Amino acid sequence: MKSGLLLGLFLTITLKVSAQSDSIVYQPNKINQFKIVPLPAIGSNPANGWLFGLAPSATWYMGDPKTTKMSNLVGNFLYTTKKQWIFSSRSNIFSDENKLIFIGDWRYFVTSQFTYGLGSSAPNGTDFDPSQGNVLWGKQGMDFSLVRFYETVLKRIGDSKFYIGAGYHLDVHSKIQSFNEDGPINSPFFTHDAYNISKGFDIDRYTLSGIGLNMVMENRDIAVSPYEKNFAWVQYKINPSFLGSDQPSSLLMLDYRHYINLSERRKRNLIALWGFGNFVVSGNVPYMILPSITWDMFGRSGRGYAQGRFRGENMVYSEAEWRFPLQQNKETFGGTVFVNAASFSSKTSNESLFNKINPGYGMGLRVMINKKNRTTIAADYGFGQKGNSGFYLNINETF
């Protein structure tokens, strides 16, 4: 979640990491090289006010590090001055010799967020959508609670880099309340309410529950901060009514990442490329479950825009980033410059993919606090169109 967290108390973190050994001693039948960085967190944003809590990160090996990739987990445990709770845990776990991968995304939010309507043309300011009569278009407030449970298990195909598997996914949005400057209001004029009413969903609670079929190519050296090779993920979600979905539907997600070294001597000098697509294939899904910017697993897409700034039935996103060291012979400090672009379609507003593209760009600083595991604090400032911008602090690389 891009809440602009100040992943703070660098002295505490530095002392914690410097006390850890970087030597690799493999102990069979034990979790090896387990390291946790308990990052205190403080920050603010317009949707949540001030946030306080913890943003811990953990890395470890489930087998011999020579033959097993590093597992990682990133969490958020936050409370805000607007009496909101944000709990999340995102993980990639590799079993011994990479025979299995477990991908988890668990969240509990009691929060609020602005929505702007569907499609890439949704404006910053509030207005009425001419294609829909009196339905509002542009910035509109929403309070809601979210329970998310995604867990996927993938099995390696022989000795290859390919995995196939299945998982279960559940999204429950509840206590949904639209609001404007005068306070809470439920109205068919609000984009969220108008869309859900037109598709036959409730406006205050809905559920998406189903099975995901997955294929993954995992070829990165270290997933949290890759220097080379590539990664691909294809996921097809089937959401039948008998598993609890309000209406049957299906969605397709495509994710590809590629890392190109610019120097054999300094592999941290590289170009990182990311292509991401999310599509409603059949049926209808509720408004807040439609593909949206920054609702990818780690909430890293769309630097330069707020979470949920763009939303639609289909989404295509791309990003390119140059990552480079800032020291001649050390890896502690690094920098990055990036550009991204997103496009959304909407049947409601009769907008097709690529009718409009929303670009973003920016730069950032990297502080590597553990060289062996490449645990990194990333601070970025991004710019979007029409005055959109944002400051982002995260643990590990953006993608």
Side-chain angles (χ1 to χ4, degrees):
M1 179 175 182
K2 286 186 177 176
S3 54
L5 294 180
L6 300 178
L7 301 178
L9 300 184
F10 287 97
L11 180 58
T12 302
I13 298 165
T14 303
L15 291 174
K16 173 74 175 178
V17 173
S18 62
Q20 298 170 342
S21 171
D22 282 335
S23 62
I24 296 177
V25 179
Y26 173 53
Q27 302 179 45
N29 303 319
K30 292 185 179 181
I31 296 177
N32 292 275
Q33 298 292 305
F34 183 83
K35 296 174 181 173
I36 183 168
V37 183
L39 298 173
I42 180 172
S44 69
N45 64 41
N48 304 108
W50 284 92
L51 305 97
F52 306 92
L54 293 172
S57 172
T59 57
W60 70 96
Y61 292 95
M62 300 295 290
D64 188 343
K66 296 178 181 178
T67 58
T68 305
K69 291 183 179 292
M70 181 189 298
S71 298
N72 73 286
L73 179 148
V74 177
N76 284 303
F77 305 91
L78 306 169
Y79 182 70
T80 82
T81 53
K82 293 189 177 182
K83 300 181 180 180
Q84 300 166 341
W85 295 93
I86 299 170
F87 299 152
S88 68
S89 170
R90 273 68 66 91
S91 59
N92 283 287
I93 300 173
F94 296 87
S95 72
D96 185 24
E97 297 185 348
N98 306 321
K99 293 177 182 178
L100 298 171
I101 303 177
F102 302 86
I103 302 174
D105 183 356
W106 307 353
R107 310 186 195 189
Y108 175 65
F109 293 171
V110 180
T111 187
S112 60
Q113 188 173 103
F114 289 109
T115 183
Y116 294 79
L118 302 180
S120 297
S121 300
N124 287 336
T126 304
D127 200 351
F128 288 97
D129 185 349
S131 68
Q132 302 180 63
N134 290 326
V135 174
L136 285 172
W137 209 32
K139 189 175 183 180
Q140 303 157 62
M142 289 178 57
D143 293 319
F144 64 95
S145 295
L146 167 65
V147 174
R148 170 171 288 184
F149 177 81
Y150 292 1
E151 192 65 40
T152 298
V153 181
L154 300 130
K155 180 175 175 54
R156 188 175 181 179
I157 302 174
D159 295 327
S160 71
K161 305 295 183 181
F162 292 92
Y163 296 76
I164 57 172
Y168 174 72
H169 54 269
L170 172 70
D171 283 293
V172 180
H173 287 79
S174 61
K175 301 179 181 178
I176 303 169
Q177 179 75 66
S178 300
F179 66 86
N180 59 19
E181 62 274 10
D182 298 322
I185 182 173
N186 279 329
S187 167
F189 299 136
F190 278 85
T191 302
H192 169 271
D193 298 355
Y195 171 87
N196 274 10
I197 291 171
S198 71
K199 302 298 182 182
F201 294 106
D202 291 339
I203 62 173
D204 58 353
R205 180 185 173 90
Y206 38 76
T207 299
L208 190 77
S209 173
I211 300 297
L213 306 177
N214 299 264
M215 177 174 286
V216 165
M217 179 188 68
E218 178 54 87
N219 201 26
R220 298 171 291 186
D221 52 345
I222 294 181
V224 299
S225 182
Y227 283 172
E228 58 188 347
K229 299 183 180 179
N230 50 8
F231 168 85
W233 185 3
V234 178
Q235 181 184 70
Y236 185 65
K237 290 182 177 180
I238 304 168
N239 313 301
S241 297
F242 67 82
L243 285 180
S245 294
D246 292 344
Q247 295 183 26
S249 64
S250 62
L251 296 98
L252 175 66
M253 184 200 74
L254 306 174
D255 190 331
Y256 180 74
R257 309 175 188 201
H258 200 95
Y259 306 90
I260 304 170
N261 287 126
L262 301 179
S263 170
E264 281 298 319
R265 187 180 70 86
R266 300 296 299 277
K267 289 197 171 184
R268 196 178 182 185
N269 186 6
L270 61 96
I271 299 293
L273 304 173
W274 183 16
F276 181 81
N278 203 357
F279 312 93
V280 177
V281 177
S282 65
N284 298 310
V285 298
Y287 186 89
M288 288 297 288
I289 303 175
L290 289 169
S292 180
I293 202 77
T294 315
W295 278 97
D296 52 281
M297 178 176 171
F298 286 96
R300 302 298 178 89
S301 62
R303 281 176 291 179
Y305 297 96
Q307 186 181 56
R309 175 60 184 85
F310 298 105
R311 178 177 274 109
E313 282 93 350
N314 299 302
M315 166 187 176
V316 173
Y317 178 80
S318 63
E319 183 161 350
E321 183 172 70
W322 176 30
R323 302 172 186 169
F324 48 87
L326 291 176
Q327 298 166 287
Q328 186 172 0
N329 297 311
K330 295 182 180 180
E331 300 296 336
T332 304
F333 294 101
T336 180
V337 293
F338 60 87
V339 294
N340 60 53
S343 184
F344 292 80
S345 70
S346 169
K347 296 177 183 177
T348 305
S349 59
N350 298 315
E351 185 172 1
S352 300
L353 276 175
F354 310 116
N355 278 3
K356 181 176 175 56
I357 296 175
N358 300 107
Y361 63 94
M363 62 183 64
L365 175 69
R366 301 292 181 265
V367 181
M368 188 176 292
I369 58 176
N370 188 294
K371 183 178 177 181
K372 178 65 66 175
N373 295 343
R374 298 185 199 164
T375 303
T376 304
I377 291 177
D380 299 310
Y381 201 93
F383 301 88
Q385 286 186 319
K386 298 181 179 179
N388 286 280
S389 64
F391 178 65
Y392 311 97
L393 264 157
N394 289 295
I395 188 72
N396 297 324
E397 290 290 354
T398 301
F399 64 93

